[in-house]
Amino acid sequence: SQKDRIKSSIVYPVLSPKNELMGTIVLHCDKSSFFKKEDKQLWSDILELYAKEIAREKVMLDNYSKLHTELKTSFDLEIELPF
């Protein structure tokens, strides 16, 4: 079970450019006290790099999805049926 495997965890926010929560990064370790308070800045610095990249990719995917939906809708409206 997870209680037997997960002994130490970190949850780090993924924020949008507007500082809105987009998700979280979760790290687990099977060693107790692996993530120590004195290492907080180290883990924060490392995870911030990943969080920024994840946020950037999410924004790009959301924009692509929105554009794709808008284009599909506009093309569907412009097609004239033969009957």
Side-chain angles (χ1 to χ4, degrees), residues 5-57:
R5 291 188 320 238
I6 299 172
K7 304 291 184 185
S8 187
S9 297
I10 292 178
V11 178
Y12 192 85
V14 176
L15 302 175
S16 74
K18 296 178 182 178
N19 214 30
E20 297 168 333
L21 183 64
M22 299 175 81
T24 56
I25 298 173
V26 180
L27 299 178
H28 297 298
C29 185
D30 62 353
K31 296 179 183 177
S32 294
S33 301
F34 182 81
F35 303 111
K36 298 176 182 167
K37 287 186 181 185
E38 58 264 23
D39 296 333
K40 181 179 178 180
Q41 190 60 50
L42 170 70
W43 288 109
S44 180
D45 291 346
I46 292 170
L47 293 174
E48 180 68 17
L49 297 172
Y50 288 98
K52 284 183 178 180
E53 187 63 24
I54 291 168
R56 187 180 72 77
E57 291 290 329

Side-chain angles (χ1 to χ4, degrees), residues 58-76:
K58 172 102 170 67
V59 168
M60 287 177 31
L61 287 170
D62 289 348
N63 288 340
Y64 173 79
S65 178
K66 181 180 176 185
L67 178 63
H68 178 74
T69 301
E70 289 171 358
L71 286 174
K72 185 178 180 208
T73 302
S74 67
F75 283 124
D76 288 346

